[in-house]
Amino acid sequence: MNLENAVNMTDLMVNSSEPMNLSLSVCEQMDVDLEKVMNETRWINEFLINSFPEGSILFPICSFGVVGNLMSILVLTRPDIDLKPSFTNILISLAVYDFLFSGTSILMYCLPNMCTLYKSLIYPLICPYLYGTLMVAHTGSIFTTVAVTMERCITICSPFTIIKMWNGAAYIIPIVIISILYNVTKFMEIRTDPLYYEALRLNVTYDSDGFEKTELKDSTYIITNRILNIIVIGLIPFLVLVILNLVIYKAISKAHANHNQLTQSNSHRRDSTMAALLSGIVLVYFLCNSLKNGINLYEAKMLFDRRLCEQTLDEWPPILDLLSHISNILIALNSAINILIYVFKDFKFRKILWEQLTCQFNYTTRSSVKFVAASQRTEQRENIPMSHFSIIAETI
């Protein structure tokens, strides 16, 4: 193996002017480099994590995400939001996934650091299920972002094409199934710490992480999982979103350039507004998920290099641990911030949200709107003079 290709990514963090000890083997040199990086960056990790613990930062973000996504669902279910049913239902589905992600993050990362009783009694029992649910929600949110972009692309580029999507169910149901099946092994990666049951039996206080890794999570599984994550929920959604947004941008630019009748219509202006809103959602997705994909790639490379040397990696470099904390915060921010994009980009969403917050709205449902429209048509028919029907009858 070429020495230059064998040295892992941590060499970039070490002074490049320092000569490498060629008397050491490749694996020994990797150990030396990794230990040096860990020693040099440990104080940074300890200072930042102790000063800004992940739980204390995630709690306000995820709390805002829970409230914001709940408000988004309430607004999007209003009939006067003036959106296609399929687009509305996909946005509601996205808000549900983000709501689930934010709520699960609070239970998994925040409350254990805030409540000792929760950490010692409840958290060890639900932790394995929380982790799997968290990953299902994250995967569903990513694929739903792709689905809402695909739906907008079809609407804008082929507005007169009839494609039966059953009000978005053709997108939503497959995403639910794929998200669960893809993450089914996540429910088996960790289990409740056996010491927890022993502490309950002896009636003593339990104070530990609450879980332990199962035999499933070995180096082969981790490498395979990281590579799949990079491809399935990293690279593929990224490329699809880039291509679809380019197509949407070109279609809208062409319509504005031609100054045709469609450009002047309210429906087209509404499509342009939704396209701008969608661009904001996709941009936030790129910014908040790119770091996670880079970490997955680096972890897979480190584990692969260690496996070639028939070694195990008992401890991650502190800088990688720190980046993982930052990545978790960014992903939580991605799930919480969509309501701000809706408010900033869509005046109808702002109006309805303000009515919701100030209780100035009437509780109108879709069925009542249809009933009012039908009543108005009936009134119009009743107001037609009878002489009109007589003239028609005579003509017939």
Side-chain angles (χ1 to χ4, degrees), residues 32-65:
V32 172
D33 293 338
L34 180 60
E35 184 177 359
K36 184 173 183 179
V37 171
M38 293 181 69
N39 292 333
E40 291 179 351
T41 59
R42 193 181 304 276
W43 69 272
I44 302 176
N45 184 65
E46 292 176 354
F47 170 75
L48 291 177
I49 291 181
N50 291 334
S51 302
F52 308 98
E54 182 181 11
S56 62
I57 298 176
L58 280 178
F59 184 72
I61 295 176
C62 293
S63 298
F64 179 79

Coordinates of all heavy atoms in Angstrom, one line a residue, residues 32-65:
V32 N 0.5 6.8 15.9 CA 1.2 8.0 16.4 C 0.5 9.3 16.0 O 0.3 10.2 16.8 CB 2.7 8.0 15.8 CG1 3.4 9.3 16.2 CG2 3.4 6.8 16.4
D33 N 0.0 9.3 14.8 CA -0.6 10.5 14.3 C -2.0 10.7 15.0 O -2.3 11.9 15.4 CB -0.9 10.4 12.8 CG 0.4 10.4 12.0 OD1 1.4 11.0 12.5 OD2 0.5 9.9 10.9
L34 N -2.7 9.6 15.2 CA -4.0 9.7 15.9 C -3.8 10.2 17.3 O -4.6 11.0 17.8 CB -4.7 8.4 15.8 CG -6.1 8.4 16.4 CD1 -7.1 9.4 15.8 CD2 -6.7 7.0 16.4
E35 N -2.8 9.6 18.0 CA -2.6 10.0 19.4 C -2.2 11.4 19.5 O -2.6 12.2 20.4 CB -1.5 9.1 20.0 CG -1.3 9.3 21.5 CD -0.3 8.4 22.1 OE1 0.2 7.5 21.3 OE2 0.0 8.5 23.2
K36 N -1.4 11.9 18.6 CA -1.0 13.3 18.6 C -2.1 14.2 18.4 O -2.3 15.3 19.1 CB 0.1 13.5 17.5 CG 0.7 14.9 17.5 CD 1.8 15.0 16.6 CE 2.5 16.4 16.6 NZ 3.6 16.6 15.7
V37 N -3.0 13.9 17.4 CA -4.1 14.7 17.2 C -5.1 14.8 18.4 O -5.6 15.8 18.8 CB -4.9 14.3 15.9 CG1 -6.2 15.0 15.8 CG2 -4.1 14.5 14.7
M38 N -5.3 13.6 19.0 CA -6.1 13.5 20.2 C -5.6 14.3 21.3 O -6.3 15.1 22.0 CB -6.3 12.1 20.6 CG -7.1 11.2 19.6 SD -7.4 9.5 20.0 CE -8.5 9.7 21.4
N39 N -4.3 14.3 21.5 CA -3.7 15.1 22.6 C -3.8 16.6 22.4 O -4.0 17.4 23.3 CB -2.2 14.7 22.8 CG -2.1 13.3 23.4 OD1 -3.0 12.8 24.1 ND2 -1.0 12.6 23.1
E40 N -3.6 17.0 21.1 CA -3.6 18.4 20.8 C -5.0 19.0 20.7 O -5.1 20.2 20.9 CB -2.9 18.6 19.4 CG -1.5 18.3 19.4 CD -0.8 18.5 18.0 OE1 -1.6 18.7 17.1 OE2 0.4 18.5 17.9
T41 N -6.0 18.2 20.5 CA -7.4 18.7 20.4 C -8.3 18.4 21.6 O -9.4 18.9 21.6 CB -8.0 18.2 19.1 OG1 -8.1 16.8 19.1 CG2 -7.3 18.6 17.9
R42 N -7.8 17.6 22.5 CA -8.6 17.2 23.6 C -9.1 18.4 24.4 O -10.3 18.5 24.8 CB -7.9 16.2 24.5 CG -8.8 15.5 25.5 CD -8.0 14.5 26.4 NE -7.3 13.6 25.6 CZ -7.8 12.5 25.1 NH1 -9.0 12.2 25.3 NH2 -7.0 11.6 24.4
W43 N -8.2 19.4 24.7 CA -8.6 20.5 25.5 C -9.7 21.4 24.8 O -10.6 21.9 25.5 CB -7.4 21.4 25.8 CG -6.8 22.1 24.6 CD1 -5.9 21.6 23.7 CD2 -7.2 23.4 24.2 NE1 -5.7 22.6 22.7 CE2 -6.5 23.7 23.0 CE3 -8.1 24.4 24.7 CZ2 -6.6 24.9 22.3 CZ3 -8.2 25.6 24.0 CH2 -7.5 25.8 22.9
I44 N -9.6 21.4 23.5 CA -10.7 22.2 22.8 C -12.0 21.5 23.0 O -13.0 22.2 23.3 CB -10.3 22.3 21.3 CG1 -9.0 22.9 21.1 CG2 -11.4 23.0 20.5 CD1 -8.5 23.0 19.6
N45 N -12.0 20.2 22.8 CA -13.3 19.5 22.9 C -13.9 19.6 24.4 O -15.0 19.9 24.5 CB -13.0 18.0 22.6 CG -14.3 17.2 22.6 OD1 -15.2 17.4 21.8 ND2 -14.3 16.2 23.6
E46 N -13.0 19.4 25.4 CA -13.4 19.5 26.8 C -14.0 20.9 27.1 O -15.0 21.0 27.8 CB -12.3 19.1 27.7 CG -11.9 17.6 27.6 CD -10.7 17.3 28.5 OE1 -10.2 18.2 29.1 OE2 -10.4 16.1 28.6
F47 N -13.3 21.9 26.6 CA -13.7 23.3 26.9 C -15.0 23.6 26.3 O -15.9 24.1 27.0 CB -12.6 24.3 26.4 CG -13.1 25.7 26.5 CD1 -13.1 26.4 27.7 CD2 -13.5 26.4 25.4 CE1 -13.5 27.7 27.8 CE2 -13.9 27.7 25.4 CZ -13.9 28.3 26.7
L48 N -15.2 23.3 25.0 CA -16.4 23.7 24.3 C -17.6 22.9 24.8 O -18.7 23.4 25.0 CB -16.2 23.5 22.8 CG -15.3 24.5 22.2 CD1 -15.1 24.2 20.7 CD2 -15.8 25.9 22.4
I49 N -17.4 21.5 25.0 CA -18.5 20.7 25.4 C -18.9 21.0 26.9 O -20.1 21.0 27.2 CB -18.2 19.2 25.2 CG1 -18.1 18.9 23.7 CG2 -19.2 18.3 25.8 CD1 -17.8 17.5 23.4
N50 N -17.9 21.3 27.7 CA -18.3 21.6 29.1 C -18.9 23.0 29.2 O -19.8 23.2 30.1 CB -17.0 21.5 30.0 CG -16.5 20.1 30.2 OD1 -17.3 19.1 30.1 ND2 -15.2 19.9 30.4
S51 N -18.4 23.9 28.4 CA -19.0 25.2 28.4 C -20.3 25.3 27.8 O -21.2 26.1 28.2 CB -18.0 26.2 27.8 OG -16.8 26.2 28.4
F52 N -20.5 24.6 26.7 CA -21.8 24.6 25.9 C -22.2 23.2 25.7 O -22.1 22.7 24.6 CB -21.5 25.3 24.6 CG -20.9 26.7 24.7 CD1 -19.5 26.8 24.4 CD2 -21.6 27.8 25.0 CE1 -18.9 28.1 24.5 CE2 -21.0 29.0 25.1 CZ -19.7 29.2 24.9
P53 N -22.8 22.6 26.7 CA -23.2 21.2 26.6 C -24.3 21.0 25.5 O -25.2 22.0 25.3 CB -23.8 20.8 27.9 CG -24.0 22.1 28.6 CD -23.0 23.1 28.1
E54 N -24.3 19.9 24.8 CA -25.2 19.7 23.7 C -26.7 19.8 24.1 O -27.5 20.4 23.4 CB -24.9 18.4 23.0 CG -25.8 18.1 21.8 CD -25.4 16.7 21.2 OE1 -24.7 15.9 21.9 OE2 -25.9 16.4 20.1
G55 N -27.0 19.2 25.3 CA -28.4 19.2 25.7 C -28.9 20.6 26.0 O -30.1 20.9 25.6
S56 N -28.1 21.5 26.5 CA -28.6 22.9 26.8 C -28.8 23.7 25.6 O -29.6 24.6 25.5 CB -27.6 23.6 27.8 OG -26.3 23.7 27.1
I57 N -28.0 23.4 24.5 CA -28.2 24.1 23.3 C -29.4 23.5 22.5 O -30.1 24.3 21.8 CB -26.9 24.0 22.4 CG1 -25.8 24.7 23.2 CG2 -27.1 24.7 21.1 CD1 -24.4 24.6 22.5
L58 N -29.5 22.2 22.5 CA -30.6 21.6 21.7 C -31.9 21.9 22.3 O -32.9 21.9 21.5 CB -30.3 20.0 21.7 CG -29.3 19.5 20.7 CD1 -29.2 18.0 20.9 CD2 -29.7 19.8 19.3
F59 N -32.0 22.0 23.6 CA -33.4 22.2 24.2 C -34.2 23.4 23.7 O -35.3 23.2 23.3 CB -33.2 22.3 25.8 CG -34.6 22.3 26.4 CD1 -35.4 21.2 26.5 CD2 -35.0 23.5 27.0 CE1 -36.6 21.2 27.2 CE2 -36.3 23.5 27.6 CZ -37.1 22.4 27.7
P60 N -33.6 24.6 23.7 CA -34.4 25.7 23.1 C -34.7 25.5 21.6 O -35.8 25.9 21.1 CB -33.5 26.9 23.3 CG -32.2 26.4 23.6 CD -32.3 25.1 24.2
I61 N -33.7 24.9 20.8 CA -33.9 24.7 19.4 C -35.0 23.7 19.2 O -36.0 23.9 18.4 CB -32.6 24.2 18.7 CG1 -31.5 25.3 18.8 CG2 -32.9 23.8 17.3 CD1 -30.2 24.9 18.3
C62 N -35.0 22.6 19.9 CA -36.0 21.5 19.7 C -37.3 21.9 20.2 O -38.4 21.6 19.7 CB -35.5 20.2 20.3 SG -34.1 19.5 19.6
S63 N -37.3 22.7 21.3 CA -38.6 23.2 21.9 C -39.3 24.1 20.8 O -40.5 24.0 20.6 CB -38.4 24.0 23.2 OG -37.8 23.1 24.2
F64 N -38.5 25.0 20.2 CA -39.0 25.9 19.2 C -39.5 25.0 18.0 O -40.5 25.3 17.4 CB -38.0 26.8 18.7 CG -38.4 27.8 17.6 CD1 -39.2 28.9 17.9 CD2 -38.1 27.5 16.3 CE1 -39.6 29.7 16.9 CE2 -38.5 28.3 15.3 CZ -39.3 29.4 15.5
G65 N -38.8 23.9 17.7 CA -39.2 23.0 16.6 C -40.5 22.4 16.9 O -41.3 22.2 16.0

